[in-house]
């Protein structure tokens, strides 16, 4: 039996979404798998309307994805929380299965407004994690080899930068080492030799 992460909406029509999530779990069970649906039990003791508790719930979800074999995406839309789960699954190499009859992220794009460095630094300070705000901001705002900014390590557009902060936080506060653009554009970034050495060490030590 495989552990299957059930990714479906919770907010909005909560009662209907909970009922649907139960059906998705039932479907996975009937196929011989063990469904994992944190949004069915975490709201029993965590307040989804409390930003701190919601962030904690999202982090629990990411940890559970680590232990699942696949992520199954259900529902008639991709919510903000689901975007974060899908991006994390893809970034960590988990198979993501879109069930028939639902919209994919490409068919339901959301407008993204890049944050300023000050916004990033303020959010990271608020969370009190070990992330280097400057490194995070430079990682996403510096152009890659294709001239794109604010894309993930797979070249997909970032839709929720705060979720990316949470993802970095869950993996120790560092960037992926496979994004080559951050060692390809020195002329765009006026770092000292010591700063470049420090960034290099951080990237070599990271695990996402």
């Amino acid at each position: 039996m495989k552990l299957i992460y059930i990714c479906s909406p919770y907010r909005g029509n909560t009662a209907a979404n909970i009922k649907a999530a139960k059906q998705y779990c039932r479907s996975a069970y009937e196929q011989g798998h063990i469904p994992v649906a944190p949004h069915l039990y975490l709201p029993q003791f965590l307040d989804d309307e409390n930003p701190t508790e919601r962030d904690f719930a999202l982090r629990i979800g990411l940890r559970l994805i680590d232990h699942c074999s696949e992520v199954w995406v259900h529902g008639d839309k991709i919510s903000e929380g689901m975007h974060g789960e899908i991006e994390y699954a893809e970034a960590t190499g988990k198979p993501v299965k879109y069930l028939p009859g639902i919209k994919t992220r490409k068919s339901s794009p959301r407008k993204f407004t890049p944050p300023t460095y000050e916004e990033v630094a303020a959010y990271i300070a608020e969370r009190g994690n070990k992330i280097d705000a400057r490194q995070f901001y430079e990682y996403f705002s510096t152009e890659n080899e294709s001239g794109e900014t604010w894309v993930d390590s797979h070249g997909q557009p970032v839709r929720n930068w705060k979720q990316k902060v949470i993802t970095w936080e869950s993996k120790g506060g560092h960037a992926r080492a496979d994004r080559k653009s951050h060692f390809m554009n020195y002329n765009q970034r006026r770092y000292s030799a010591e700063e470049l050495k420090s960034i290099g060490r951080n990237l070599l030590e990271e695990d996402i």
Side-chain angles (χ1 to χ4, degrees), residues 87 136 140 152 158 160-168:
E87 289 181 345
F136 177 92
F140 286 108
D152 61 23
V158 171
N160 185 346
W161 67 268
K162 289 186 177 180
Q163 181 61 49
K164 283 297 183 185
V165 169
I166 295 173
T167 300
W168 277 40

Side-chain angles (χ1 to χ4, degrees), residues 102-208:
I102 69 170
K103 298 177 182 179
T104 65
R105 288 183 295 160
K106 290 184 178 179
S107 63
S108 57
R110 302 187 315 134
K111 184 178 180 180
F112 172 72
T113 301
T116 63
Y117 170 72
E118 289 72 22
E119 290 175 323
V120 169
Y123 183 64
I124 289 174
E126 176 187 325
R127 293 187 61 79
N129 54 41
K130 298 180 180 179
I131 294 175
D132 182 325
R134 175 61 65 182
Q135 184 190 34
F136 177 92
Y137 183 77
E138 293 288 352
Y139 178 82
F140 286 108
S141 63
T142 300
E143 291 185 356
N144 62 18
E145 293 174 287
S146 300
E148 303 168 307
T149 61
W150 290 95
V151 294
D152 61 23
S153 60
H154 297 283
Q156 297 300 313
V158 171
R159 291 176 172 79
N160 185 346
W161 67 268
K162 289 186 177 180
Q163 181 61 49
K164 283 297 183 185
V165 169
I166 295 173
T167 300
W168 277 40
E169 182 179 306
S170 69
K171 288 296 184 179
H174 296 299
R176 289 184 63 94
D178 57 0
R179 183 162 177 177
K180 298 179 181 179
S181 63
H182 292 270
F183 288 95
M184 297 293 287
N185 296 315
Y186 291 159
N187 61 322
Q188 298 176 12
R189 305 166 60 182
R190 296 180 175 83
Y191 289 135
S192 68
E194 286 303 312
E195 287 175 318
L196 289 173
K197 289 179 183 179
S198 176
I199 292 173
R201 286 194 295 270
N202 286 340
L203 290 174
L204 289 174
E205 293 171 357
E206 68 202 21
D207 59 357
I208 66 169

Side-chain angles (χ1 to χ4, degrees), residues 18-65:
I18 290 175
K19 181 178 180 180
K22 291 179 180 179
Q23 294 174 342
Y24 303 144
C25 288
R26 178 72 188 185
S27 176
Y29 159 74
E30 290 177 346
Q31 295 178 61
H33 306 307
I34 301 173
V36 176
H39 53 316
L40 283 183
Y41 76 89
L42 291 180
Q44 302 302 312
F45 58 91
L46 293 176
D47 182 2
D48 191 62
E49 297 302 321
N50 181 309
T52 299
E53 295 191 10
R54 176 173 169 77
D55 280 349
F56 185 67
L58 291 173
R59 293 173 63 187
I60 291 176
L62 300 187
R63 294 281 65 76
L64 291 174
I65 288 175

